[in-house]
Amino acid sequence: MTERILEVRDLRVQFEGRRRGDRPVLAVDDVSLHVDDGETLGLVGESGSGKSTIGNAVLGLVRPTRGQVLFRGADITSVTSGQRRALGQQLQVIFQDPYSSLNPSRTIGSTLAEPLRIVRRASRRDAAAQVEHVLAQVGMATDTFHRFPREFSGGQRQRIAIARALVLGPKLIICDEPTSALDLSVQAQILNLLLDLQRRLGLSYLFVSHDIDVIRHMSHRVAVLSKGSIVEQGPTDEVTGSPSHAYTRALLAAVPVPDPRVRSV
């Protein structure tokens, strides 16, 4: 029987207004979803739909107003900072901008080895060996270890960011628009790398994107978000092949096709 790795129950996230007297902003409204071992759930919607806020709530970067986040059945909604660090061995993230997530003044090897040294108490030699291993897994050369982020292209930096997410051996990775800042040809390479890693390592992904075509390529199931609420959820083939909600149909209609007179929906 497939194990449920992540469950979000009735999640609500509300932010205070920026200025005194402003009305609170409801970013996520009673969202429920789950991710099973080895699968990808795609979260898709326009900018401001709440998809990244859900990912940040799972990561503990924003505090839910209401609801629960369960990881392997345990409630992680309000864990301590120490418990959150320990969760890093099982739960990681890949952000949209790889350059801002890498310290420009430190070598790649130093940055990637740090969590192994802090969390695992690994020796310098063992940490270096594990970093070199994950860099090879993402297709980066051995000399990457001693180089700085500025020496790499955007696609290479995203591969390094993926290696950083892998270094502790997690089972669930939040992918927050991981290819939207890349050229189309590089996007395809990174997406295929993520699929290959999922097959080889048994990873689960919560994959956030505004691009329903990317979601269709990556996901086993999809949840469509509009104004903080899920308007449609189900197997990807069903949702993208026979969408029941007008918003989903609008997202699909916006996907570029070689001949604009030919549409599947």
Side-chain angles (χ1 to χ4, degrees), residues 161-182:
I162 294 170
R164 184 183 188 182
L166 292 175
V167 76
L168 287 174
K171 285 301 180 183
L172 174 65
I173 298 179
I174 311 298
C175 302
D176 191 359
E177 300 271 12
T179 61
S180 63
L182 305 174

Side-chain angles (χ1 to χ4, degrees), residues 168-197:
L168 287 174
K171 285 301 180 183
L172 174 65
I173 298 179
I174 311 298
C175 302
D176 191 359
E177 300 271 12
T179 61
S180 63
L182 305 174
D183 293 339
L184 285 176
S185 60
V186 180
Q187 280 188 29
Q189 294 172 21
I190 297 300
L191 293 175
N192 288 333
L193 172 62
L194 289 170
L195 289 172
D196 181 59
L197 290 168

Side-chain angles (χ1 to χ4, degrees), residues 27-260:
V28 176
D29 189 15
D30 293 329
V31 164
S32 295
L33 52 82
H34 71 273
V35 182
D36 291 335
D37 266 333
E39 82 161 354
T40 299
L41 173 68
L43 287 181
V44 64
E46 296 172 296
S47 177
S49 62
K51 55 191 187 297
S52 291
T53 301
I54 294 170
N56 287 336
V58 172
L59 292 165
L61 300 177
V62 301
R63 183 179 294 275
T65 308
R66 189 174 70 208
Q68 288 180 296
V69 178
L70 306 179
F71 184 79
R72 294 200 183 280
D75 191 343
I76 64 168
T77 315
S78 302
V79 296
T80 65
S81 57
Q83 291 170 320
R84 181 60 66 176
R85 282 194 296 273
L87 268 173
Q89 298 186 69
Q90 294 290 315
L91 173 61
Q92 280 292 324
V93 60
I94 303 165
F95 290 110
Q96 176 179 350
D97 181 3
Y99 193 73
S100 65
S101 65
L102 298 170
N103 189 330
S105 65
R106 300 181 66 183
T107 64
I108 300 302
S110 175
T111 295
L112 269 62
E114 184 176 41
L116 291 165
R117 302 272 288 159
I118 293 174
V119 178
R120 295 275 179 84
R121 306 290 183 186
S123 68
R124 194 177 300 275
R125 176 181 295 180
D126 288 345
Q130 175 63 8
V131 169
E132 290 175 353
H133 174 67
V134 295
L135 285 171
Q137 283 184 310
V138 301
M140 295 301 294
T142 53
D143 69 345
T144 302
F145 190 97
H146 302 287
R147 296 168 65 186
F148 291 88
R150 64 177 177 272
E151 300 179 56
F152 298 96
S153 67
Q156 290 172 323
R157 286 198 293 262
Q158 195 59 291
R159 287 176 183 267
I160 293 165
I162 294 170
R164 184 183 188 182
L166 292 175
V167 76
L168 287 174
K171 285 301 180 183
L172 174 65
I173 298 179
I174 311 298
C175 302
D176 191 359
E177 300 271 12
T179 61
S180 63
L182 305 174
D183 293 339
L184 285 176
S185 60
V186 180
Q187 280 188 29
Q189 294 172 21
I190 297 300
L191 293 175
N192 288 333
L193 172 62
L194 289 170
L195 289 172
D196 181 59
L197 290 168
Q198 183 174 53
R199 285 189 291 265
R200 286 193 280 136
L201 304 177
L203 298 170
S204 301
Y205 296 138
L206 180 62
F207 198 98
V208 174
S209 179
H210 67 278
D211 189 334
I212 199 166
D213 208 32
V214 169
I215 292 292
R216 181 161 46 191
H217 179 67
M218 292 296 297
S219 306
H220 299 92
R221 292 183 299 106
V222 59
V224 182
L225 285 151
S226 177
K227 298 178 181 178
S229 297
I230 293 178
V231 297
E232 189 164 2
Q233 184 171 192
T236 302
D237 288 346
E238 291 181 14
V239 172
T240 62
S242 301
S244 61
H245 198 278
Y247 181 71
T248 310
R249 292 194 290 271
L251 290 176
L252 287 163
V255 175
V257 294
D259 185 347

Side-chain angles (χ1 to χ4, degrees), residues 4-36:
R4 185 158 294 180
I5 192 167
L6 176 72
E7 186 171 6
V8 174
R9 296 178 179 171
D10 303 321
L11 184 71
R12 185 182 180 94
V13 179
Q14 185 170 287
F15 297 115
E16 296 300 321
R18 292 184 178 181
R19 297 172 299 181
R20 180 173 294 185
D22 285 353
R23 297 181 64 180
V25 177
L26 184 59
V28 176
D29 189 15
D30 293 329
V31 164
S32 295
L33 52 82
H34 71 273
V35 182
D36 291 335

